[in-house]
Every structure is written in structure tokens, then in C-alpha cells.
Amino acid sequence: MNSVHSRLSLYLLFTPFLLWLALLIIIPHIFMFLVSISVKTGVREYVTGLGNYMVFFTEPLYWNTFARTAFMSISATFLTLLIGFPVAYYIAKLTRGRTKTTLFLMCLIPFWVSELVRTFGWMILLRETGIFSSFLQYIGLASEPIEFLYNDAAIMVGLVYTSMLFMVVPLVTTLDSLDDSLIEAGYDLGGNGITVLREIIIPHAMPGIVSGCIVVFMLSLGNYLTPILLGGKDSLWFTGLIYDQFITRFNWELGSAFGFLLLILSSTIVWAGLKLSGQSLTDTVGR
């Protein structure tokens, strides 16, 4: 009787999650796939085929934008890791007590406002009449206003900034579990900073590195606001093409195909990253 009650409680506990998973993820994706293989032949006339996917491969603008988005997202992930790892290590291993809590809270504060507000903040800083341009003119390094917006560098700054928290948090959590005596033993055995980092710290932090990179990459790849606002209307981001097909051209068939191609791209790169790092998704999430 107790086992029946326990099983029933387990089912009831997981019911909201399963409903959320089915109604908001699985069913919409099935519907989107069915739409993506519907090729329009006339007014309200469709045939099943891969014509929408062939449009992507036969139009250089589409697959060039696809490749550019993947490259920029991977670059943003690498830069976020490069900046976030020292920050996370300092918070996890070199601070204690209230200082540690304060620094971690400072990482959280920017994310108390929406991504739109944070992006507009960068636009205020980077525009021609913004703080950076005005400061450079004030100290004499520039003779006229400088436009820092609407280029790849501005997009990269926005992507790294909006994703930093999702890299720092898993790294802090993983590094916090590293015993300080292991680091001390590494130095006692004749290792230097680089050796200890390579042989002790990075292997221990690898689950956090992988999980952080996966989240940051997925957020960067699917980002819409940051590339459009900081890169301008000609930023050529793949999510912009998807939005254009759905909202501007009302071509849901081609937009659905682009959405599935983006899903395939992200899944492939995540799978390749897991293989290269020697990690499994289950172990990474579990840690």
C-alpha cells in the first residue's frame, strides 16, 4: 500500500513538469516540423517535401548567415569563458565570508533587469554621443564623435555581457567544491601556477566549464535582441532571418525549416563539444 502511495506521489510530482515539457516543447516542435516539410504549391495547396530546406542550401545569403551566426556564437562562448573563469576562481577560492557573498551578488545585480534594458544601456555607452565617444574626445584621443555601434565588436560585447552570469555561476559552484589542499599539494610537489591550473584546477572544473559553455552558446545562438540592436538591421543574425520569415513575410513554412536547422546546428555543436571535452551531458548536468 505504501509503495502504491509513493508511486502515485511521484507521478503527481512529475505531472506539471511533463505537461510543461509536452505542451510547450514537444508538441510545438512536432507541429513546427510538420509545417517545415509542407511546400506551398498554390493558394492553400501544399505537398510534403524538403523544398523549404533546399531553399536554404541554394541561397548563399541564408547559409552564410547560418555559418556567421555559429562562428560568432562560438567566439562569444570562448570569450565569456576566458573572462568568466578568473572571476569565478577569485570568488570561489580567494574570497571568504561577506566579501564572497558581495562579489557574487554583484554578478547577479545586472540580471535583475531585462535583457532589453541592458542592451539599451550598451547603446547609450557606444553611440556617437555616448559616454565612450565623449570621453575619448575629452582626453584628446579623438577629434570627432566615434560610432562604436552597428558592428561585430559591439555585438560581441553585448553577447558576452548578457551571458556572463550563466558562465560564472556553474564555474563558482564547481570550483567551490575543489579542496584547497589539492592546490597546495600541487605547489608543494614543485608545480607552478600553469601546471596546477592545467593538472588540477581545469580537470576539476571541467563539468562547470562544459555546462557553462553549453548554456552560453545556446543563448548566444538563439539571441535576437542583442545582434539586432547593437549590430543594426544589417547584422545578419540567423534568428533575424527566422523572425523575418515568420513576422514580415508570413512564410511559416520556410521559417519553420530555418528553426529546425538552427536546432540541428546547436545540437551538433553541443555534441561535438561534449566529445572533445570527454564529458557526457548526464554527468555534466549531474555535477
Side-chain angles (χ1 to χ4, degrees), residues 57-251:
F57 290 106
T58 56
E59 175 52 60
L61 173 65
Y62 295 151
W63 49 262
N64 281 333
T65 303
F66 192 71
R68 165 187 159 82
T69 302
F71 175 77
M72 291 281 287
S73 299
I74 293 173
S75 300
T77 303
F78 176 75
L79 287 176
T80 307
L81 175 62
L82 202 62
I83 298 171
F85 192 91
V87 174
Y89 184 82
Y90 184 82
I91 294 174
K93 308 307 297 180
L94 302 180
T95 58
R96 295 292 184 271
R98 185 173 297 179
T99 302
K100 183 175 185 176
T101 304
T102 302
L103 290 175
F104 193 76
L105 183 63
M106 289 175 63
C107 293
L108 294 176
I109 287 176
F111 293 85
W112 290 358
V113 297
S114 69
E115 181 183 353
L116 181 62
V117 175
R118 297 198 303 270
T119 305
F120 274 128
W122 277 109
M123 293 181 71
I124 293 173
L125 292 174
L126 299 176
R127 63 183 180 179
E128 274 187 325
T129 57
I131 296 176
F132 290 161
S133 178
S134 300
F135 178 74
L136 290 177
Q137 293 177 76
Y138 176 76
I139 63 177
L141 292 180
S143 58
E144 58 184 14
I146 303 175
E147 180 65 87
F148 291 103
L149 284 174
Y150 312 128
N151 53 58
D152 289 349
I155 296 175
M156 193 62 64
V157 168
L159 291 176
V160 171
Y161 177 74
T162 56
S163 303
M164 185 59 65
L165 176 67
F166 303 100
M167 182 66 75
V168 171
V169 169
L171 285 174
V172 168
T173 303
T174 307
L175 289 170
D176 209 26
S177 64
L178 175 61
D179 194 340
D180 292 340
S181 61
L182 293 177
I183 299 177
E184 295 174 3
Y187 284 109
D188 291 341
L189 292 172
N192 53 32
I194 296 178
T195 304
V196 171
L197 179 67
R198 185 181 66 246
E199 300 295 336
I200 298 176
I201 298 175
I202 290 181
H204 182 87
M206 188 57 68
I209 293 173
V210 173
S211 61
C213 287
I214 289 175
V215 175
V216 171
F217 172 73
M218 298 294 282
L219 290 175
S220 300
L221 193 69
N223 201 310
Y224 174 76
L225 283 176
T226 300
I228 296 299
L229 293 178
L230 298 183
K233 63 180 181 180
D234 297 324
S235 60
L236 293 179
W237 205 259
F238 199 67
T239 49
L241 293 182
I242 296 175
Y243 176 90
D244 183 60
Q245 296 299 329
F246 275 106
I247 306 301
T248 305
R249 302 186 182 184
F250 298 101
N251 191 344

